[in-house]
Amino acid sequence: MILRAMALLMLLAVNAWEQETALVVRDEPLPVTDLAPHVSIFVDPTAAMDIGQVMAADFASNTQDPPSFGITRDAVWARFTVRSEADREQDLIAELLWARLSHLTWYVVADGRVVKSAVGGADDEPRRTDRMPTIGLELPPGAEQTVY
C-alpha cells in the first residue's frame, strides 16, 4: 500500500468528551489528532449485540474525564466518523491509547456496510508487545467512514 498521508489518530484520550462531529481530513498532512471531540459512546449491558444492531443504536456523548468504564462485562462501543475533503486517498491510523481491554474488535463502516474489521484486545493478541490497538483507514477522496 502506498501511503500518501499518514496520521496517528488518538482515540479515548484524557480530555472531556463532547458532541460527536465528523473529523474532516484535507490534502495537507493531518497531525496527531485527539478524537475525543468526535466520539460518542454506547453501552450494551447484554454484551450480545452485533455490529448491525450497534450501528442502529442510540449513541451518546461521554463527559467522563478520563473516559472509564471500570471493570465491566458490558460491551462498550465507541464511534467516530472521518470525512475526506481531500483530492487524493488519505491513509490514516486510529489508535486506542492505554487500552486495558481483554477483547476489542474494530469495525470500519462505509455506505452502511462493514468494509474492514480487526481484533486488538489482550485476549485476541496474546503476543502483542504494545498495549495500544490500532486499525488503518484508507479514505478515498470525498468518502466518509465510521469507525466502531
Side-chain angles (χ1 to χ4, degrees), residues 20-127:
E20 178 187 6
T21 58
L23 173 67
V24 177
V25 295
R26 296 179 176 86
D27 285 317
E28 59 273 0
L30 182 67
V32 172
T33 302
D34 178 4
L35 288 176
H38 307 281
V39 174
S40 59
I41 300 291
F42 171 71
V43 177
D44 169 16
T46 70
M49 295 174 73
D50 62 32
I51 184 63
Q53 294 167 312
V54 170
M55 287 168 54
D58 290 326
F59 279 69
S61 297
N62 184 340
T63 57
Q64 295 182 53
D65 187 13
S68 176
F69 299 92
I71 298 172
T72 181
R73 293 184 187 274
D74 298 348
V76 179
W77 293 81
R79 172 182 76 188
F80 66 92
T81 299
V82 182
R83 184 175 65 244
S84 174
E85 292 181 0
D87 292 328
R88 62 182 189 270
E89 181 174 301
Q90 301 293 306
D91 294 320
L92 309 169
I93 296 175
E95 179 179 66
L96 183 61
L97 292 181
W98 304 109
R100 294 185 182 216
L101 304 169
S102 58
H103 178 74
L104 169 77
T105 304
W106 295 95
Y107 296 95
V108 179
V109 175
D111 298 321
R113 63 180 181 83
V114 175
V115 295
K116 183 176 187 178
S117 65
V119 295
D123 290 348
D124 300 317
E125 298 184 36
R127 289 172 252 166

